[in-house]
Amino acid sequence: MSDGQGGASRPESRPRPGAARILSAARFRVILRSPSARITNQSLLVALVLVFGTGVATVATGSPSERWAAIIHGVAGMAILLLIPWKSRVVRAGLRRARRSRWASLLLAALIVTTLIAGLGSATGLMRSVDGKPALWIHIAVALALVPLALWHILARRIRPRRSDLSRRTFLRAGLLGAGAAGLYFAAAGAVRLGGLSGAGRRFTGSYETGSFYPDAMPDTVWLEDPVPAIDPDRWQLTVVDDAGRYELKLGDLLAFDTRLRATLDCTSGWYARQDWSGVPVSTLLRGSGQARSLLVHSVSGYWIRLPVRDVNRLLLATRVGGAPLSAGHGYPLRLVAPGRRGYWWVKWVDRIELQTTPWWWQPPFPVT
């Protein structure tokens, strides 16, 4: 075929066999290469924010339908583990600068490693407790303790966004990191099950079964170490405030009810127990809800919680557990049973329930009293 100038045309250029494959492999190696300190720090920040947010959600949830938060929490934790080799290069370079604030940064790193070790130890069952404290409790406590340091570090080492941060390579690297973290999470979960470790028997919240159907063996954990109040059953009374007004009930009035409910009490300190509770449904005591948006449940100790009014039909005020009266440590004479919610919602030593127009979420995310 002529090239239009009377000469023969040159053959079309074709890629050498395997060249495309070699090029793809080269690009893949570039993506896996240790990223810049800037990208490493940004990736770690995203992972830390994600692991903290899902950690809070996991502590708050008690319903199996919300277990996704715990799964994402675990995957984000694995992402932090995968980032450690990259971050260690950044740390070594930073230490050579001999900044005065380096000790605070090293303390932050130590706290992050501690909470990771405690979380992994609790999840696998290899470290259920440390000096009598549940490993899960240590995991949560250390995570909360590092928040102020993390905020300081973010402000002191502020990273200004650049357009290049949203490059194709960055997204590919993030995708690989996420896929690797997810793979590592599910591989570790499988290894725990195949290895017969006690972590395989945890509830999705991370809690271990303790004392199910044996109330005397169930821990009597108290929120923020509140003392168990001494209550005179002859003087105690329950105040009910609803749309129709206010009235009081004595313990004898409540003992006449024997509605039974099997529910799981899942404590944020790392244990759970299934029990048969009996008492009076909250809906039975409320004569009308009117424009109420929440139900406030108050304790003799001063502790309180506010629940959505839509939950009223699911709530029970228990006077007995396992067919026996509540013990003082478990809330005698009356405690709230809130199926699908964590233990801090299950108010002990209840002395007042009150319908309110205040939204249920108008309260601290976790009780402080």
Side-chain angles (χ1 to χ4, degrees), residues 332-344:
Y332 178 84
L334 191 70
R335 84 170 297 166
L336 181 69
V337 174
R341 293 188 178 274
R342 301 299 295 274
Y344 64 87

Side-chain angles (χ1 to χ4, degrees), residues 153-171:
H153 191 79
I154 292 170
L155 294 174
R157 308 283 192 271
R158 189 175 304 175
I159 304 173
R160 297 187 182 278
R162 297 175 184 171
R163 184 173 298 178
S164 59
D165 294 341
L166 301 178
S167 68
R168 183 170 176 266
R169 182 180 297 176
T170 299
F171 281 110

Side-chain angles (χ1 to χ4, degrees), residues 46-213:
V46 171
L48 286 172
V49 170
L50 186 59
V51 81
F52 184 80
T54 54
V56 170
T58 301
V59 169
T61 183
S63 173
S65 63
E66 298 169 337
R67 66 191 314 145
W68 58 267
I71 294 174
I72 297 176
H73 181 70
V75 171
M78 292 301 183
I80 294 174
L81 280 179
L82 293 177
L83 284 168
I84 287 177
W86 292 347
K87 182 60 179 178
S88 64
R89 293 166 60 99
V90 179
V91 171
R92 288 196 297 270
L95 290 176
R96 286 195 290 268
R97 299 177 189 173
R99 292 170 173 164
R100 292 183 180 179
S101 60
R102 66 185 183 279
W103 298 113
S105 298
L106 289 174
L107 175 59
L108 174 61
L111 291 176
I112 291 174
V113 171
T114 299
T115 194
L116 281 173
I117 292 173
L120 288 170
S122 177
T124 58
L126 294 174
M127 187 176 68
R128 294 276 298 272
S129 64
V130 177
D131 195 25
K133 292 290 186 182
L136 184 60
W137 184 92
I138 295 173
H139 173 69
I140 295 172
V142 175
L144 293 175
L146 67 80
V147 170
L149 270 176
L151 291 175
W152 163 81
H153 191 79
I154 292 170
L155 294 174
R157 308 283 192 271
R158 189 175 304 175
I159 304 173
R160 297 187 182 278
R162 297 175 184 171
R163 184 173 298 178
S164 59
D165 294 341
L166 301 178
S167 68
R168 183 170 176 266
R169 182 180 297 176
T170 299
F171 281 110
L172 287 173
R173 185 176 281 134
L176 287 172
L177 176 63
L184 184 58
Y185 171 81
F186 288 109
V192 169
R193 287 193 296 270
L194 291 175
L197 298 178
S198 60
R202 296 180 310 140
R203 198 164 183 254
F204 72 94
T205 57
S207 298
Y208 287 86
E209 187 173 17
T210 306
S212 286
F213 306 114

